[in-house]
Amino acid sequence: MNKSKKPVTSDKGNNEGFHPKEATVTVGNGGEWHQIATGDQPVLTTNQGLPISDNQNSLRANPKGPTLLEDFILREKITHFDHERIPERIVHARGTGAHGFFELTHSLEKYTTAKVLTEEGLQTPLFTRISTVAGGSGSSDTPRDVRGFAVKFYTKEGNWDLVGNNIPVFFIQDAIKFPDLIHAVKMEPDRGFPQAASAHDTFWDFISLTPESMHMVMWVMSDRTLPRSLRMIEGFGIHSFRLVNAAGESTFVKFHWRPKLGLQSTLWDEAVKIAGADPDFHRRDMFEAITTGCFPEWDLAVQLFSQEEADTFPFDHLDATKLIPEELVPLQVIGRMVLNRWPDNFFAETEQVAFCPSHVVPGIDFSNDPLLQGRLFSYLDTQLSRLGSPNFHQIPVNAPQCPFANHQRDGHMQMAQPTGRVAYEPNSLAIDSPHEQPVTGFYSTLIAESGAKGRIRAESFADHYSQARQFYCSQSSYEQAHLASALVFELSKLEHPHIRAAMVGHLRHIEEKLAQRVAFGLGMDDLPQVPTAAVAVQDLALSPALQLIGKMKDTLEGRMIGILLSDGSDAASIDEVKKAVLAEGAKVKLIAAKIGDVKLADGSMIKIDGQLAGTPSVLFDAVVILLSDEAAESLGNEAAAIDFVRDAFGHLKAIGIDNGGELLLKTAGITQDDGVFAVSNSLEHFIAASKTRQWEREAKIRTLA
Ligand code: HDE
């Protein structure tokens, strides 16, 4: 018997790994795999269950001869490998998923029959996938991009998919424009670049010719598209949906996810550098949070309103380029989502999960938003092409967790084996077969429709600038500067000056000063002409709730602090900083010039988490530099150390120092400001400052538009 715990491998071509008498066989069971026999290690088999004696050598005619076609084991293995990839999502290809639950804390019984929204205290299992939009599945986590926010609730009454984004509005009003929008933003077809970037001609060409996108463009150019963590973004269902109660009355609803950790973003320069330092920054952050028990959490809130109320809004709520300010219709928190389980297998779950906005439960219905109406078709279609079969609902991550049965049969990769001769309804031959449920089943709300059929856009959709203006004007001055600078960066990348000019023309409708800032940043001598607007731009009431800075939380929870140290660093200082940071719910990583152990001044050894060159300060929310004088002097000749402190300072982070740290800052040419603290006497101030950014520093170190 093989007692070794080591994997059984052989490069000698012998049979030492195979022990037929104690073979462990692995069998499939509706998509799950079970070990059914004993032994130290499972036996490696083909997909037909044949034990394999040699997994190192293919079958050759002689030791130096050609490989034989007869080698069915080689062919099965390679063929399977050749087919490992399925088409990636045409949008939202790069995503991070996790399991969790939704707990209802406030019943909406008055408005809906949906049990997931009426049974207080009920915990509904769910799977959530957060994604970028434009890049391929292997692209980095931190481009400037919208984040998809899709949640599949496995309710008692079937799956409910709430497939939203981290921005409450969208680029276009009508689904028929979606392929154009996506073709414009994705890599240009003749050259195959840029990957995961909107800073190129085709995107801005399309946008400049599509005024309805201006509101969304304001959001996309804000720091909302540069999240610090996926745990620190909001989610929005975007469209109006309907809730329908037992009396058949319907109420409009907008869904909002609110992160418990508050909102937090990176700076643009930081996001760019993170992409190099750790392309998996967001996925790793989520993985580390969930696997260490710091479960990400969001509140679910709703905005509820009637048709009569909607008629008084100065915009049309069926237009997905508009939002309903919280000041107009307040948010009501009705429950919370906790993500507490990382998937066992990325492909099986995160890649194969199939969301469809058409997956609703009784008591939830659609509105006439023309973007939503198009999506109701698109997602089912895309699953057929990606997952290759109308049986995609049988894949465990997609399968409802309530009983489900109907008379649909057969098809590619059918896993179910229904019995009996009846596969139709109505029938009298199998009274226990699935029958429709007129009372509790899903029904579509009765809505009277009138008007002329045609390819016509409602006049109420014509105002493209007022909410863009409201968004920009509601931002803090720091956020306005970031937004203007983002526009300068993106438009500066264009080869075609006429697109630049067209964009600045649109900005003049939104806010004249914004247009001036961007034009100045782009080196334009004169402001371009203002394009004709279909309707006059309105001055809507400012909405402070649209700020990101306003929604940052005064907390270190979920944050990461980096301590740069060296041989000879002071053990007591390290200990004090660590304790203070951990007490606030943040995590600490220790960085030194070399990986391994560092010998501190008191002779104790401490384990290092990251090597300096591979662990730059962009990976942290705040940093502490605790060095012996000698180490500070030698690190002064180390570009990675200079970059570490310069970037931390440039990214407006709080910096804690001791004498050695002060020396390194000096060598790096940094003039200390109010965001730099001696940890010996100002540790608590350092902690407080680490919860935010040193915004006042920015104007002194960076020219913003
Ligand atoms: Fe999507 N979208 N979309 N979308 N979308 C897809 O479905 C589509 C839109 C969103 O993590 C695709 O399974 C059309 C708005 C998310 O798996 C596809 C239109 C919003 C995800 C598709 C839109 C979204 C997708 C690609 C215009 C925010 C990722 C793969 C009518 C409310 C879900 C797939 C995941 C994915 C089509 C517009 C969000 C092709 C036609 C608006 C979060 O079906």
Side-chain angles (χ1 to χ4, degrees), residues 89 92 129 163-165 178 238 355 375 378-379 382-383:
R89 291 163 174 83
H92 299 266
R129 182 174 181 274
V163 196
N165 280 344
F178 192 64
I238 301 189
F355 295 96
R375 295 180 74 207
S378 170
Y379 289 65
T382 218
Q383 308 317 341

Side-chain angles (χ1 to χ4, degrees), residues 125 135 138 149 254 436 532 582:
F149 198 117
K254 294 248 189 199
E436 64 189 19
T532 318
L582 296 179

Side-chain angles (χ1 to χ4, degrees), residues 87-96 127-133 146-151 162-179 181-182 216 236-239 241 320 350-357 369-383 386-387:
E88 65 176 33
R89 291 163 174 83
I90 169 67
V91 281
H92 299 266
R94 170 131 189 120
T96 292
F127 187 85
T128 294
R129 182 174 181 274
I130 304 182
S131 47
T132 52
V133 178
V146 182
R147 298 304 186 281
F149 198 117
V151 182
L162 185 53
V163 196
N165 280 344
N166 76 327
I167 289 179
V169 290
F170 201 64
F171 290 101
I172 47 172
Q173 297 174 324
D174 189 313
I176 201 166
K177 296 311 297 166
F178 192 64
L181 166 73
I182 299 306
M216 178 73 168
F236 302 92
I238 301 189
H239 316 282
F241 289 84
T350 308
E351 194 57 20
Q352 293 198 113
V353 64
F355 295 96
C356 298
D369 175 341
L371 198 64
L372 174 61
Q373 293 282 322
R375 295 180 74 207
L376 299 180
F377 160 74
S378 170
Y379 289 65
L380 179 58
D381 188 45
T382 218
Q383 308 317 341
R386 285 193 66 238
L387 299 167

